[in-house]
Amino acid sequence: MTEEEFDAFYAAAFPRLTGQLYALTGDHGEAQDVVQEAFVRAWDRRQEFLGDGAPEAWIRTVAMRLAVSRWRRAKRWLELVRRTPPPEYTPGPESGPAHLADLVAALRRLPEAQRMAVVLHHLCDLSVEQVASETGAPVGTVKARLSRGRAALARELAEGDGEREDDRVR
């Protein structure tokens, strides 16, 4: 089947197949998706496609199998979601200008190498390997700086929280 023949076949068969799959899935968008995917798979086989006596039947079969596969996958996911209880609420970190100022002040008190590792990894969202590449330090050194920096930052922020609670009591 040449490209032109395939294009003509697609133009004629796509609406029909979409209607048939819509009846199966009940979702027009889903029907279009699976028929389109079936045509993509047929495109790779278009050279031997004409020899197959019923190309539309082949595409319909592939599309129906794709639809059933998607339905099964969605059903398994739904069963998994129903079995898994929702996570308990865990309050996030404090936010707001006061907390941000405390965080910046605590970061400033860290040694420069630790501060750079923490900022690049946690605020710039770089991987440990990317931080190592950017700073010129070995990966193990970056991991150590991150560990020490997080520990120091936690101590600094905990001390700051204690001071604020003392201020509220007074």
Side-chain angles (χ1 to χ4, degrees):
M1 187 178 282
T2 66
E3 287 186 29
E4 292 80 22
E5 291 172 329
F6 190 87
D7 288 345
F9 169 64
Y10 176 86
F14 184 81
R16 238 185 344 266
L17 290 167
T18 300
Q20 294 164 3
L21 269 291
Y22 175 56
L24 175 72
T25 63
D27 182 342
H28 193 260
E30 181 76 10
Q32 288 177 324
D33 286 349
V34 294
V35 171
Q36 188 68 36
E37 178 65 27
F39 269 104
V40 167
R41 292 180 183 192
W43 175 258
D44 294 334
R45 301 169 180 245
R46 71 183 181 280
Q47 298 304 328
E48 68 260 9
F49 216 55
L50 196 56
D52 184 7
E56 190 168 328
W58 186 89
I59 290 178
R60 182 178 25 263
T61 301
V62 171
M64 290 175 77
R65 288 179 181 165
L66 287 168
V68 169
S69 178
R70 286 182 176 196
W71 178 79
R72 285 181 181 152
R73 201 171 318 130
K75 183 180 173 191
R76 280 194 303 266
W77 180 83
L78 186 58
E79 289 170 355
L80 177 66
V81 168
R82 285 182 178 161
R83 278 186 278 161
T84 306
E88 291 186 25
Y89 174 74
T90 305
E94 290 182 38
S95 61
H99 183 69
L100 186 58
D102 292 343
L103 179 61
V104 170
L107 280 168
R108 285 186 182 150
R109 289 190 287 272
L110 293 179
E112 183 180 351
Q114 289 177 10
R115 180 174 58 242
M116 174 128 0
V118 168
V119 168
L120 288 174
H121 184 67
H122 292 289
L123 299 179
C124 298
D125 209 22
L126 298 181
S127 69
V128 173
E129 292 77 18
Q130 290 170 321
V131 173
S133 173
E134 193 155 318
T135 60
V139 171
T141 302
V142 170
K143 288 179 180 179
R145 289 175 181 169
L146 283 170
S147 177
R148 291 180 186 132
R150 285 188 293 250
L153 199 55
R155 282 191 304 273
E156 290 283 340
L157 292 173
E159 289 173 8
D161 286 344
E163 290 173 9
R164 275 188 292 192
E165 287 175 14
D166 291 342
D167 290 343
R168 283 186 230 139
V169 172
R170 290 182 192 165

